[in-house]
Every structure is written in C-alpha cells, then in structure tokens.
Amino acid sequence: MNFHRNHWLLLGTIFFGFIGLAFIIAILPAQWMQQNTEPLPEAEPLSDLEQRGLEVYIAEGCVACHTQQVRPLAMDQPWGRPTAAADYALLGPMDVWRPYSPAVLGSARTGPDLSNIGARQSSETWQYLHLYNPRAVVKDSIMPAYPWLFEPATGAESDAPVVTIPEAYAPEGGKVVPTEQGQALVAYLLALRQIPIEGAGGTTQEASAETDQKGVPAEESEGQAGAKGDTLYANNCANCHQANGQGLPGTFPPLAGNSLVLAEDPGEHIDTILHGAQGRTIDGTEYTSPMPGFADQLDDEQIAAIVNHERTSWGNDAPTATAEDVAGRREAGEK
C-alpha cells in the first residue's frame, strides 16, 4: 500500500477507518448501554400530554440553551444529583420517522440545567409566567419570551388555566391562557424530576445545606443558621416570592409585612411551607396560584431555617420556630 501515490487508497482508508472508529467508540457502546440499562424503580414513562410537551421543547429550541445532564461537579450541585444512565432509560424513539432517542442532553449550558426542574420549581403558574416573559419572575433573565404559546383570556369557558401577568409585562386585559402547546410544554417541564439514588449525591436542597454547613455541628450559631435560611430561601422560594420578599402582585403574595408570617404563633406559617396552599386571601388580596408543599423535599431543620429567615427579614420581626416545632406540625398533618 502506497498512500503517497494512491490517493483513492488514502481517502478510502480514512473514510472507512472513521466509520469503524465511530462504531467502536460511539455507536456500539451507546446501543449496548441502551439495551442493558434498566429505568429506576420509581420511573414512569411520559404521558401523552408530556410527550407532546417534549416535542414542543425540541421544536422551540430549548435544548440549545438548557442541558439535562448534571455533571458530578460542585458547580452543578444546585441542579440536582449527578445524572445516571438510568435517568434516560425510558426515552425511546419519537416515532417511526425518528427512530432514535430525542437529543435533550444538550451541551451549551447557557441556562440552568432542567433535569430536576419539576422538583426545583413545581409551581405551574410560575412556569407559565416564565414562558410568557421570563423577566416577569427573574428580573435579569436573558431567556427569550414565548408569547405565541399563549392567547388572551377573553372570558370564554376553557379548561386552560388563566394566568395573571404582572402589570409591567401584561398584555391588554392583563390575563392570558396557554395554548395546547403551552400546556403540553409546562406538563413536560413539571415531569422532569430526578429520582433519588442512594449514594449519588444530594438533591438541590441537601447539597445547599451541606455546602453551607461545611461540617459545622447541628448546634449552629444564630449567624450560621441565618445564612443557611438565606440560601434555602433563595433556592426554593425566591423565584416566586422574590429575593426582596415582595412577591408578584396578584400572583404570589409578599412575605414582607405578611400577617401570616408575622403571626405570634408560627404554626400556620410552618403548615404552609410543609403542605402548600391555594385559594387563600392574604391581607385582603385573593391568591389563586397554588403553592407546592416542601414536606417531601426538606427536613425539619431546613424548613425551620426558611421560616425563621422569612420571619426576620425585610423588616419582619416575629417569633422564630425550631425544628421541633416543624416536626410537631409535620406529625399532626400526617394523622
């Protein structure tokens, strides 16, 4: 073989060598992994609505900015535990014309990873607001808006939820309803929840707590507990109630000056964080947006830290709670 004189031989060797290496390094290992990886025990396939949402997710180009692969790096801890192959075991071919798994892993990392977004931000209303105009809930967001996934709320009967848009971003009438595509996309986003794997690293909340504590014993000083509450609030509550505790008018209630937060007895405050709330009238304003509960995501100490942060921040000055108080309310709610 003389590659210097026979250019067809050179090109053929390069071409078929590339094909062979592609099979050896990429294609065959990927096929083996897909055939020999079982889904996690609690994993469930996407519903028809969530599957349509996945198609909208791909069509709208979300994968260009958001990944769904959490690396085992400290900088990725806020997004969830490190990703495992089993997380993708239920992702199959889209249809007969697309006989491959959808490419949702991404690589750009321009926006936050979405592997666990359904648990990190489980508020359906927040997801709709964020899609309609991200600046409505995250002031400095660079994400583009998707208003074409919504229609004006004309008052006609519809199964679609009515979303009240903050005044600065509201269209005429101030309210919109998501289209079928918008509803499907939000259903898919809310379905993105990591299943815990023992020994695979903490969840968002657990990782945050571990990072803050840095080995400090449970008997923390008041300053350390305040810092922990600040971080937990930022990770779990600030997207809706805002970092300054002012909420979003008519959508998410303010915590600064909130009568429930300032109550002498923190019991109802604790119950709200544990079990969530919907349809409450607070200080004369009715809030229809459902708030998710955090009983399954945060332990008693973490919830107490959030409660105390809210009761002592933004000018609030109310009696604080202990982990024992939270444990008692949790136990009472389970009976």
Side-chain angles (χ1 to χ4, degrees):
M1 294 192 301
N2 191 332
F3 292 122
H4 299 286
R5 294 180 179 275
N6 190 339
H7 64 279
W8 288 112
L9 178 62
L10 174 62
L11 292 175
T13 301
I14 293 173
F15 177 77
F16 289 106
F18 174 81
I19 297 296
L21 286 173
F23 269 91
I24 294 171
I25 297 174
I27 298 175
L28 293 179
Q31 287 181 338
W32 183 91
M33 182 69 74
Q34 191 161 12
Q35 294 169 358
N36 292 275
T37 300
E38 295 293 329
L40 296 170
E42 299 178 22
E44 296 181 359
L46 296 176
S47 68
D48 291 342
L49 179 63
E50 293 161 358
Q51 184 68 33
R52 291 198 299 273
L54 170 58
E55 296 181 4
V56 176
Y57 180 89
I58 294 172
E60 295 293 348
C62 304
V63 71
C65 296
H66 294 285
T67 58
Q68 289 187 37
Q69 48 167 321
V70 182
R71 301 168 296 182
L73 304 175
M75 65 185 296
D76 278 17
Q77 279 190 347
W79 315 130
R81 61 160 172 78
T83 294
D87 292 328
Y88 310 108
L90 292 178
L91 273 181
M94 299 289 286
D95 52 47
V96 67
W97 304 110
R98 292 172 290 180
Y100 47 80
S101 298
V104 296
L105 274 69
S107 60
R109 302 185 189 277
T110 303
D113 187 276
L114 300 182
S115 299
N116 200 36
I117 187 63
R120 291 206 326 268
Q121 185 46 268
S122 58
S123 169
E124 180 184 80
T125 301
W126 186 93
Q127 295 288 357
Y128 284 130
L129 286 171
H130 190 238
L131 284 173
Y132 184 82
N133 191 319
R135 266 66 60 191
V137 286
V138 183
K139 183 178 179 181
D140 298 324
S141 175
I142 60 172
M143 174 177 155
Y146 293 85
W148 53 86
L149 297 177
F150 298 84
E151 298 173 339
T154 59
E157 291 187 6
S158 172
D159 293 334
V162 177
V163 183
T164 301
I165 308 299
E167 185 177 355
Y169 308 96
E172 185 177 354
K175 296 182 179 181
V176 297
V177 294
T179 63
E180 291 184 1
Q181 285 186 317
Q183 293 179 72
L185 178 54
V186 167
Y188 171 68
L189 293 173
L190 293 178
L192 296 176
R193 295 170 180 259
Q194 289 185 328
I195 296 174
I197 299 178
E198 185 176 354
T203 61
T204 302
Q205 294 82 7
E206 292 166 346
S208 300
E210 290 167 3
T211 302
D212 294 335
Q213 291 176 16
K214 298 180 181 178
V216 175
E219 294 81 8
E220 299 167 309
S221 70
E222 183 177 347
Q224 290 168 327
K228 178 182 175 183
D230 181 44
T231 302
L232 287 166
Y233 176 85
N235 287 338
N236 297 282
C237 315
N239 276 341
C240 292
H241 296 289
Q242 305 299 297
N244 59 7
Q246 296 300 316
L248 290 177
T251 305
F252 303 121
L255 301 178
N258 186 310
S259 58
L260 184 148
V261 176
L262 293 174
E264 193 76 14
D265 180 359
E268 188 175 359
H269 188 180
I270 294 171
D271 287 344
T272 301
I273 297 178
L274 277 173
H275 309 300
Q278 183 177 7
R280 288 188 179 177
T281 298
I282 301 175
D283 297 330
T285 301
E286 183 180 0
Y287 294 92
T288 58
S289 302
M291 171 182 163
F294 292 89
D296 295 333
Q297 300 179 45
L298 302 176
D299 61 30
D300 297 338
E301 184 181 344
Q302 291 170 325
I303 289 180
I306 292 177
V307 168
N308 294 339
H309 174 73
E310 294 176 353
R311 295 173 77 82
T312 59
S313 300
W314 319 298
N316 291 346
D317 184 15
T320 55
T322 66
E324 289 72 22
D325 294 331
V326 177
R329 303 298 297 194
R330 187 192 294 269
E331 184 178 353
E334 292 174 351
K335 291 181 178 179

